[in-house]
Amino acid sequence: DNPPDAAVGRVPHVVAPDVLIETRATKISQLIGDYDREREQPTGNQTVTRYQLRGTDLGVSFEHGGRTFILFGDTQGAARRDGDAIAYTTDENPEDGLSLTFVTDDGGTYQPITIPGISQGAFEVPMEGLDVGGKMYVYHTTDHSELNVMGRSVLARSDDGGKTFTYLSDFSIRNFINVSIVEVSASD
């Protein structure tokens, strides 16, 4: 029921959307915290009790060492322990939620991702990870300020499953601060 185009007296062409959402997203489970207020029940991961981790943002996943790792930014947790967190799961079917295991210190508290030589405050977060030759590589934003929301991105490597990282290089200081990596075969 499109109105006629007054200039030429015809009905304008209607373009079908590229994406059609047939059903809305549904919550499977709450991953972080100890209590799901919406469902009024304990969470499966009990991250406050197990890891002293209350909240996170983001949640970028990648495969490494036969596990799915998830990088979380701007994490709230134990006193003097805010930062960014890293967890993994071996679940292959997320239909009943994901059981997460966080990288921890020797006392069992979640261990923030620490990349020597860069600022890792609020809004400076891990944005992508990948496995190359059995080593974990993480792209991380840094140098946030009121004048510069996205200052620079760096590349870091972990040889021990995310417990420690080595700064490798600046990835970008101008054009590609927030990146998303897609692995393809060399033939493609």
Side-chain angles (χ1 to χ4, degrees):
D1 292 349
N2 294 319
D5 185 332
V8 293
R10 24 177 217 153
V11 176
H13 177 69
V14 177
V15 178
D18 290 336
V19 176
L20 177 63
I21 300 172
E22 291 186 16
T23 60
R24 297 286 174 201
T26 57
K27 179 177 179 176
I28 294 172
S29 70
Q30 180 176 312
L31 296 177
I32 306 298
D34 278 4
Y35 189 72
D36 182 333
R37 290 186 202 136
E38 178 188 1
R39 294 186 175 162
E40 298 180 345
Q41 65 186 28
T43 64
N45 286 308
Q46 295 289 290
T47 63
V48 177
T49 300
R50 293 172 60 207
Y51 304 110
Q52 296 183 33
L53 189 148
R54 291 187 309 274
T56 66
D57 75 3
L58 302 178
V60 179
S61 63
F62 66 99
E63 297 294 318
H64 171 72
R67 298 173 172 166
T68 299
F69 277 80
I70 304 173
L71 303 169
F72 294 101
D74 293 342
T75 301
Q76 298 173 341
R80 299 179 314 277
R81 248 329 141 94
D82 290 344
D84 307 312
I86 185 169
Y88 65 85
T89 184
T90 56
D91 285 349
E92 294 183 11
N93 180 4
E95 292 298 320
D96 62 351
L98 293 176
S99 177
L100 296 177
T101 301
F102 280 82
V103 174
T104 64
D105 62 16
D106 292 337
T109 299
Y110 86 92
Q111 179 175 309
I113 297 169
T114 303
I115 301 171
I118 71 165
S119 172
Q120 291 181 267
F123 306 106
E124 299 170 326
V125 296
M127 62 184 148
E128 190 64 84
L130 71 153
D131 179 297
V132 177
K135 307 224 185 265
M136 179 186 294
Y137 291 86
V138 169
Y139 293 86
H140 200 288
T141 63
T142 188
D143 297 348
H144 167 77
S145 70
E146 284 186 31
L147 298 174
N148 205 7
V149 175
M150 298 291 248
R152 115 182 112 120
S153 58
V154 301
L155 178 62
R157 183 185 75 221
S158 176
D159 300 332
D160 58 7
K163 282 193 95 50
T164 62
F165 285 88
T166 302
Y167 166 87
L168 296 178
S169 66
D170 284 357
F171 182 72
S172 181
I173 58 170
R174 227 175 244 154
N175 298 316
F176 299 103
I177 307 299
N178 199 1
V179 299
S180 181
I181 304 300
V182 177
E183 293 184 60
V184 297
S185 72
S187 63
D188 291 338

